[in-house]
């Protein structure tokens, strides 16, 4: 159903200020999450063991149980150029679905990088600069994280060295161009530049790569740098979920201004968990305080169903076993997902914090097929203008399923983690009828 | 110079509401602009002569001398999903340049389409829907306008038929994918589908196309449709400049909140004039009322210097001579500019309103080379995160030249008409040292 002029409503975004602190959900959880373990000793990792990889303040944040961490002024300055991000009443999408439910989109695609990843790359670069580090190494899949770190490095004067999953390096040159425009160096992973890369190429000569392999390479380069380089991760870790809490804090404020009764359901896509945790945990805090009745749902692809089909156990974060062991939902570190277009959701594991919270029954999870996800993306594009990132379409599809199944009107919040302008070949493939489900 | 933590400042965007009316500069000009002429009779065009191409309200707006036109609610509803657009203090860019001047970016790249074009495609689709039209035809260069109209058509339930300049159709498939995702049909122009297209292919068999050729095709299809189709133009016309006035009205408000003394200089890129006129005319109104001392500068590419090297005279808007004659700065309707990456600036003419105002001495113009433009774009990316559209980089380059030449700190506003995520191959070519100046 298209827009009938008589139905038009002008709904302007409410005003919120950008948060002054990051929120750590660990402080409010009924039971504490299990610690990361040293893979050799299987003892909880110590700050000293993380120091070769991360800036001192990031190590503190990784292990912190404090509720609030003040956002440093240089990071807030950079946040202020694109935050608060819009909280959009999706009247067009509501009409397209034919629902009386009210749908809101928390939209991170207005970030200059086109996704939420900048929320964590900025503080990671900042704290490393403070510690005198000169180079950051990282991995990236589709390139959202690599590009965000490339810009943060340029802003704070750090070199950035990116190991990009080969499948994306070859098929998605635009994001490589973006990283290079910000001044970063990009390698196809597995590469010949690292011991772990060479080992993986020998073991799997035809591999298209995986995030788990690229992490091994980036960690190895940082660990062997003699102190000049550190490693930066765009998801999974507690520090990343902490930084992303700006999304959910803003959403809580924005929602309160639009809907005093709060939301009935909140949907976010999950790969490593950074966008989802960032949106969901400040809302979960409201639930735990009795101020919200929202049901919170993590939406993952059927092709990489770490929560809905994986096991909840300790596993490694990378193929070479260089990271600490983490208790999480995992498909096993050697799992190589099908080449679905939602590159940011192709990770074998899941943030330990998100895993813990789901395992405790405080949130639920669902899996969405690639074609259902793209159908929701095209519907959103044609009714709202926004072309969601392929990752974000999973949350939209799950939310629309929910709305359609409800008899009463509901209030629904959907996290839209980024725009899909650099994923247009995937959309073209869908609208040309060439896209299939991959599981 | 990168961000020194001690220098950080948190500057949040001020709050403005979206405008309720569009502003027509004609009402405030000391001398009226010359009318459009019928190419056959050389008499001023009448509303009846424009009726086969445009919706009745758009014909009224095209010829209107009234100062304000109320924005209809369905258009305001759609504006409210992305407006007001940010007005960003560019502290990063200031540091990168090493200036004490204060630079502000009025950034249209947060639109879901990635550019300002949506501001006019929405009302054009809306008014045509009201008139019972079922199909809109249009031309597009790089595809910003075509994509914006494709979405507006989807929103209001109209078919959209786009003639895309062949050079862009072949080299920029992402924007074609975007138009197709919104449901539009895209043809490479000149095509075999129209009389004018066939004539141009016969006359120039190797042509890479031009906006002037694509306009002829789109106008022909609408004119021959028997009343079911209308034509939509993304720039040049008074109606388009009118719709784009939301940019400048917001900027005037936002600037007032940040800088009570107002701006010293305002820079915008010009191709057909829509983004520039939209930003500049509400500011010019303040100048004409004695409330602003801003110098306003139109920034064009040296490869297509319609204002700085063209003649001010009556000329046709399209190659086949199907449009009215317009008094404007023109390089001649047969001028085919070099294939610079700023596709949106490759038009032989210039908005009659912008032309008139410059000719009257109320604004000035400058021309920027492609490499200077991209250098400014990369500097902006690395210091602010924003990757400007290649078109917008012309305004940034001119503004930075101005800032560097001033001895005293100034207040500068730059119109950034869109993001360049779909122009990344051009940026890659620049950062890899492969880009040259084309004139």
């Amino acid at each position: 159903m298209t827009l009938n002029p008589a139905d038009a409503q002008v709904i302007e975004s409410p005003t919120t200020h950008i948060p002054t602190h990051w929120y750590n959900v660990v402080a409010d959880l009924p039971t504490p999450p299990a610690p990361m373990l040293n893979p050799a000793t299987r003892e909880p990792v110590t700050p000293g063991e993380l120091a070769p990889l991360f800036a001192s303040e990031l190590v503190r944040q990784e292990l912190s149980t404090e509720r609030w961490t003040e956002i440093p002024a240089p990071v807030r300055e950079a946040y202020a150029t694109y935050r608060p991000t819009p909280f959009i009443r999706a009247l067009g999408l509501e009409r397209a679905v034919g629902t009386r439910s009210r749908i809101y989109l928390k939209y991170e695609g207005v970030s200059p990088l086109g996704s939420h990843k900048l929320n964590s790359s900025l503080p990671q670069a900042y704290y490393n600069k403070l510690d005198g580090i000169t180079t950051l190494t990282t991995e990236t899949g589709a390139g959202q994280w690599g590009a965000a770190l490339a810009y943060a490095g340029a802003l704070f004067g750090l070199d950035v060295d990116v190991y990009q999953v080969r499948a994306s390096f070859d098929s998605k040159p635009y994001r490589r161009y973006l990283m290079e425009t910000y001044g970063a160096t990009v390698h196809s992973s597995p590469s010949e530049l690292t011991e772990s890369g060479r080992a993986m190429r020998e073991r799997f000569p035809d591999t298209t790569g995986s995030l788990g392999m690229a992490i091994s390479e980036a960690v190895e380069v940082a660990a062997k740098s003699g102190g000049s380089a550190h490693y930066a991760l765009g998801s999974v870790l507690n520090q990343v979920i902490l930084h992303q809490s700006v999304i959910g804090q803003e959403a809580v404020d924005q929602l309160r201004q639009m809907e005093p009764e709060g939301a009935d359901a909140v949907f976010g896509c999950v790969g490593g968990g950074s966008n989802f945790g960032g949106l969901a945990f400040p809302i979960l805090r409201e639930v735990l305080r009795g101020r919200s009745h929202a049901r919170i749902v993590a939406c993952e692809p059927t092709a990489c169903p770490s929560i809905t089909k994986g096991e909840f156990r300790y596993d490694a974060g990378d193929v070479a076993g260089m990271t600490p062991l983490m208790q999480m939902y995992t498909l096993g570190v050697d799992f190589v997902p099908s080449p679905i277009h939602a590159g940011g959701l192709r990770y074998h594991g899941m943030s330990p914090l998100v895993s813990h919270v789901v395992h405790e029954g405080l949130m639920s999870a669902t899996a969405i097929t690639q074609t259902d996800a793209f159908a929701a993306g095209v519907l959103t594009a044609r009714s709202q203008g926004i072309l969601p990132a392929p990752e974000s379409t999973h949350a939209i599809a799950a939310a629309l399923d929910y709305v359609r199944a409800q008899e009463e009107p509901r209030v629904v919040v959907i996290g839209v983690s980024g725009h899909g302008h650099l994923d247009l070949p995937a959309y073209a493939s869908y609208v040309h009828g060439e896209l299939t489900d991959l599981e």
Side-chain angles (χ1 to χ4, degrees), chain A residues 3 7 102 117 139 141 165 188 194 199 246 321 374 376 426:
Chain A
L3 200 161
D7 295 337
R102 298 192 289 286
K117 291 293 188 187
E139 78 296 328
V165 175
S188 174
T194 65
V246 291
F374 272 97

Side-chain angles (χ1 to χ4, degrees), chain A residues 165-246:
Chain A
V165 175
R166 186 190 287 174
S168 295
F169 184 93
D170 291 340
S171 71
K172 300 194 171 186
Y174 276 48
R175 283 241 172 70
R176 171 158 50 89
Y177 298 156
L178 187 56
M179 293 185 265
E180 290 171 347
T181 298
Y182 288 118
T185 307
V186 188
H187 313 285
S188 174
S189 170
S191 76
E192 288 290 342
L193 300 170
T194 65
E195 217 170 285
S196 48
R198 289 188 294 272
M200 289 181 277
R201 285 167 77 120
E202 200 172 307
R203 194 165 144 213
F204 312 106
D206 299 323
T207 183
T208 51
S210 73
L211 283 170
M213 293 183 194
I215 293 172
S216 296
E217 294 204 272
V219 168
E220 180 186 328
V221 172
K224 290 181 175 170
S225 72
S228 64
H230 269 168
Y231 167 68
L233 184 62
S235 192
V236 181
L237 297 175
N238 295 6
Q239 59 188 270
V240 180
I241 314 277
L242 178 79
H243 303 150
Q244 295 293 352
S245 69
V246 291

Side-chain angles (χ1 to χ4, degrees), chain A residues 118-410:
Chain A
L118 198 51
N119 300 332
S120 186
S121 70
L122 288 166
Q124 291 196 46
Y126 168 73
Y127 290 122
N128 276 291
K129 182 70 180 181
L130 280 192
D131 278 8
I133 295 299
T134 60
T135 301
L136 287 176
T137 68
T138 197
E139 78 296 328
T140 200
Q144 297 270 32
W145 168 248
L149 191 68
Y151 164 55
L155 185 66
F156 290 108
L158 292 161
D159 292 332
V160 175
D161 221 21
V162 183
Y163 290 81
Q164 183 174 25
V165 175
R166 186 190 287 174
S168 295
F169 184 93
D170 291 340
S171 71
K172 300 194 171 186
Y174 276 48
R175 283 241 172 70
R176 171 158 50 89
Y177 298 156
L178 187 56
M179 293 185 265
E180 290 171 347
T181 298
Y182 288 118
T185 307
V186 188
H187 313 285
S188 174
S189 170
S191 76
E192 288 290 342
L193 300 170
T194 65
E195 217 170 285
S196 48
R198 289 188 294 272
M200 289 181 277
R201 285 167 77 120
E202 200 172 307
R203 194 165 144 213
F204 312 106
D206 299 323
T207 183
T208 51
S210 73
L211 283 170
M213 293 183 194
I215 293 172
S216 296
E217 294 204 272
V219 168
E220 180 186 328
V221 172
K224 290 181 175 170
S225 72
S228 64
H230 269 168
Y231 167 68
L233 184 62
S235 192
V236 181
L237 297 175
N238 295 6
Q239 59 188 270
V240 180
I241 314 277
L242 178 79
H243 303 150
Q244 295 293 352
S245 69
V246 291
I247 305 173
Q249 290 184 67
E250 289 175 6
V252 166
D253 276 1
Q254 291 167 317
L255 178 66
R256 192 175 291 139
Q257 293 180 52
M258 310 291 271
E259 299 284 348
E261 300 292 308
D264 297 298
V266 177
F267 298 84
C269 63
V270 274
S274 74
N275 149 71
F276 178 75
L279 171 66
F281 287 162
I283 297 171
L284 178 62
R285 176 167 189 250
E286 299 298 294
V287 173
L288 294 172
R289 295 161 86 195
R291 295 169 54 150
S292 167
H293 61 283
R295 178 185 156 193
I296 306 174
V297 186
C299 310
E300 61 185 12
T302 53
C304 194
S306 51
I307 303 182
T308 54
K309 295 267 179 75
E311 296 173 31
F312 184 71
R313 61 172 168 87
Y314 271 101
D315 197 6
D318 72 315
V319 172
M322 305 182 73
T323 69
L325 296 173
M326 295 175 285
Q327 188 175 71
M328 59 184 178
Y329 286 102
T330 176
L331 296 159
V333 72
D334 289 326
F335 179 81
V336 176
S338 309
I340 55 167
H341 290 288
L345 306 186
R346 295 175 70 242
Y347 184 63
H348 70 278
M350 178 55 59
S351 148
L353 274 181
V354 170
S355 295
H356 174 75
V357 162
V358 173
H359 194 251
E360 293 287 308
L362 299 173
M363 297 182 182
S364 60
T366 187
I368 299 290
T369 66
Q370 174 159 262
T371 50
D372 283 353
F374 272 97
V378 170
L379 193 70
T380 305
R382 294 184 183 180
S383 61
Q384 286 292 142
I386 291 171
L387 183 85
E391 291 81 0
S392 317
T393 60
H394 291 74
I396 300 170
L400 297 187
D401 283 348
Y402 168 83
V403 160
R404 288 179 177 123
Q406 300 294 309
E407 301 201 350
E408 291 300 309
R410 305 291 180 186

Side-chain angles (χ1 to χ4, degrees), chain A residues 87-89 102-106 258-259 411-414:
Chain A
F87 190 75
I88 302 164
R89 172 76 185 276
R102 298 192 289 286
I103 301 175
Y104 295 88
L105 308 178
K106 177 61 177 167
M258 310 291 271
E259 299 284 348
V411 173
V412 176
V413 175
I414 308 174

Side-chain angles (χ1 to χ4, degrees), chain A residues 18 22 71-80 119 122-124 126-127 156:
Chain A
I18 57 170
W22 290 302
I71 305 173
V75 174
R76 288 193 81 223
E77 177 192 309
Y79 280 174
N119 300 332
L122 288 166
Q124 291 196 46
Y126 168 73
Y127 290 122
F156 290 108

